[in-house]
Amino acid sequence: MDVSKSPQAFDVEAIRREFPILSQEVYGKPLVYLDNAASAQKPRAVIDRMVETMETGYANVHRGLHHMANVATEGFEEARETCREFLNAESADEIVFTRNATAAYNLVANAFGQMEGPEAIGEGDEIILSIMEHHSNIVPWHFLRERKGAVIKWAPVDDDGNFLFEEFEKLLSPRTRMVAITQMSNALGTITPMRQIIKAAHARGVPVLVDGAQSAVHMHVDVRALDADFFVFTGHKVYGPTGIGVLYGKKAWLDKLGPFEGGGEMISEVTTETVTYNTPPHRFEAGTPAIIEAIALGTALRFMMDIGRDEIVAHENMLRDYAHERLREMNSLKVIGQAQDKGAILSFEMKGAHAHDVATVIDRYGVAVRAGTHCAMPLLSRFGVTSTCRASFALYNTREEVDKLVDALRKAETMFA
């Protein structure tokens, strides 16, 4: 079904019918899936494309001259072109397939750690992160701190979770070699002023890596309008499969970077004495790639684009506003992060109850939320909490599901009062 042809501007019920798992029940209750920031569910089109590829079009890519190899390679490279379109990159050669977002951050950090010259990251050189970063965009830079003597600086947020741009700008110095900052916080939903961040960094000759793991889902991303040097997102959050991620890199940067892993595909020639590396993006795609997953990722992105990304944003923002309104009715709840123009993510804690206990109770009413640190321990420490519950919304969620979340939380509230 082409949901973009629905008679309504945004027919959420038609969209929901495209996701088989949403018809399931949990403990005899209809599933209310609000853990989308961790991983989103998959539409029938993605499921069918994976099965179709395995049944009718599977072979290894780039390596064979037979019919099936050509079919698989065509599907794989078509998916790369879809990623280019999704991000509005200039060339498909700027799209690198990785295992996930984590692999992409590690690729960039490792490559800068291996570089030589003024752009390399070495002892005393500075990397600016925000306090909101996911661990996957923190730990690879800690590796450079531990192994190269680099220095990490942290851009702060205020008590509502707003990114403090002026404080960020003060951190830039002649020793800054990299800025790596999320465009949308996975724990707070805070949207950072990424164009301003990039402009300020570029004014000082500093490249910027954008963590787009959440923004690629909830925003209309244009890497050329942003002028991003690197942009990262992952397949399983954009309604695609696990095991596939995307690194966008400006061609000028990818041409400079050395390979992250060695093996087949990433080379042009190997002798007993020498190795010549392939050109990007293949230089960074060692070994047999996630062929089926990449092809299905292309289908997932096309699914989103067919619905309309601006329409998705409007729907999710409506859910965000309604959820904030309903949760404010409960005096026992405290929402962590109320930044202006935030995305459709709500983190909260309940008075007198641990987040894990709250999540366990409401799960019995069919409501799935995330509880814990959300791989953002520095951020939670900033707010003086050790864990929160997080409800994160997707294009298939509804106002009625927000009501069910509140009803389940009221039942939990009576247990912990």
Side-chain angles (χ1 to χ4, degrees):
M1 174 184 178
D2 185 350
V3 293
S4 67
K5 301 300 187 292
S6 168
Q8 300 184 37
F10 190 94
D11 190 342
V12 69
E13 292 304 325
I15 291 169
R16 286 178 64 83
R17 289 193 291 271
E18 297 299 306
F19 290 81
I21 202 169
L22 298 182
S23 63
Q24 289 201 29
E25 291 189 345
V26 177
Y27 302 115
K29 305 289 185 180
L31 172 63
V32 178
Y33 187 80
L34 301 177
D35 192 21
N36 298 286
S39 201
Q41 298 300 338
K42 319 306 171 193
R44 174 61 65 187
V46 170
I47 298 168
D48 289 347
R49 188 64 192 277
M50 295 184 76
V51 172
E52 178 188 21
T53 300
M54 286 186 280
E55 289 184 343
T56 66
Y58 177 77
N60 215 325
V61 294
H62 303 140
R63 304 180 186 192
L65 299 177
H66 56 82
H67 172 75
M68 297 311 295
N70 291 335
V71 169
T73 299
E74 182 178 346
F76 186 79
E77 292 303 328
E78 181 182 293
R80 196 190 304 275
E81 169 58 24
T82 302
C83 292
R84 183 212 64 76
E85 179 184 351
F86 186 78
L87 296 176
N88 193 34
E90 184 173 351
S91 168
D93 289 343
E94 296 177 316
I95 303 297
V96 178
F97 286 129
T98 62
R99 187 181 71 255
N100 47 34
T102 299
Y105 305 127
N106 277 274
L107 190 162
V108 175
N110 181 80
F112 272 84
Q114 291 184 354
M115 288 181 73
E116 297 180 357
E119 294 164 336
I121 298 177
E123 186 171 0
D125 290 329
E126 298 166 356
I127 303 156
I128 299 178
L129 311 178
S130 85
I131 199 66
M132 296 184 291
E133 299 312 307
H134 189 282
H135 294 165
S136 60
N137 194 33
I138 295 177
V139 178
W141 306 108
H142 267 306
F143 286 169
L144 294 187
R145 179 190 60 79
E146 292 176 340
R147 300 166 187 174
K148 298 288 185 176
V151 176
I152 299 176
K153 292 184 172 181
W154 300 90
V157 296
D158 67 16
D159 290 343
D160 285 330
N162 292 294
F163 182 84
L164 298 175
F165 175 76
E166 292 182 357
E167 295 303 312
F168 156 76
E169 205 168 18
K170 292 175 184 177
L171 297 176
L172 292 164
S173 82
R175 296 302 302 270
T176 306
R177 295 293 178 268
M178 173 63 69
V179 171
I181 288 180
T182 184
Q183 191 174 18
M184 178 175 169
S185 166
N186 76 303
L188 303 182
T190 297
I191 295 173
T192 56
M194 192 51 66
R195 289 191 188 189
Q196 286 181 270
I197 291 169
I198 292 172
K199 184 177 180 180
H202 284 179
R204 296 161 176 82
V206 178
V208 179
L209 181 150
V210 180
D211 170 6
Q214 298 297 332
S215 63
V217 191
H218 302 291
M219 300 172 63
H220 197 158
V221 173
D222 184 330
V223 292
R224 281 192 278 183
L226 287 174
D227 198 22
D229 300 288
F230 303 96
F231 186 96
V232 173
F233 73 97
T234 190
H236 67 97
K237 298 184 193 294
V238 291
Y239 311 103
T242 56
I244 185 70
V246 172
L247 168 66
Y248 158 81
K250 283 182 179 176
K251 185 177 185 302
W253 275 114
L254 294 182
D255 286 342
K256 291 180 183 180
L257 300 183
F260 177 46
E261 296 178 308
E265 186 65 25
M266 51 75 64
I267 50 84
S268 295
E269 184 177 359
V270 177
T271 72
T272 55
E273 283 83 29
T274 63
V275 57
T276 304
Y277 302 128
N278 207 340
T279 56
H282 305 295
R283 179 187 301 165
F284 308 104
E285 296 178 354
T288 298
I291 300 165
I292 298 165
E293 291 79 1
I295 292 171
L297 171 60
T299 301
L301 299 181
R302 183 61 59 191
F303 180 85
M304 292 180 67
M305 290 188 284
D306 283 348
I307 292 172
R309 293 162 76 185
D310 291 337
E311 288 77 8
I312 293 170
V313 171
H315 176 74
E316 292 178 345
N317 286 348
M318 176 275 293
L319 293 174
R320 172 204 64 198
D321 293 344
Y322 184 60
H324 271 282
E325 177 186 332
R326 290 301 321 272
L327 291 181
R328 279 196 292 266
E329 298 171 4
M330 300 183 62
N331 293 331
S332 66
L333 293 186
K334 178 183 178 183
V335 175
I336 309 295
Q338 302 193 52
Q340 297 179 359
D341 300 320
K342 61 177 284 188
I345 293 174
L346 284 82
S347 287
F348 56 90
E349 57 179 354
M350 180 178 285
K351 184 178 179 179
H354 193 281
H356 291 171
D357 295 328
V358 174
T360 300
V361 170
I362 67 175
D363 177 53
R364 289 289 173 170
Y365 296 94
V367 180
V369 298
R370 178 71 37 160
T373 65
H374 318 298
C375 295
M377 288 182 180
L379 178 64
L380 267 62
S381 179
R382 155 67 178 86
F383 284 93
V385 296
T386 57
S387 64
T388 67
C389 287
R390 181 187 67 191
S392 49
F393 299 94
L395 57 85
Y396 44 64
N397 291 125
T398 66
R399 286 169 63 98
E400 291 74 21
E401 290 183 316
V402 174
D403 293 335
K404 289 179 179 178
L405 166 66
V406 174
D407 290 344
L409 286 170
R410 288 195 182 282
K411 291 181 173 68
E413 184 181 41
T414 61
M415 295 181 62
F416 299 116

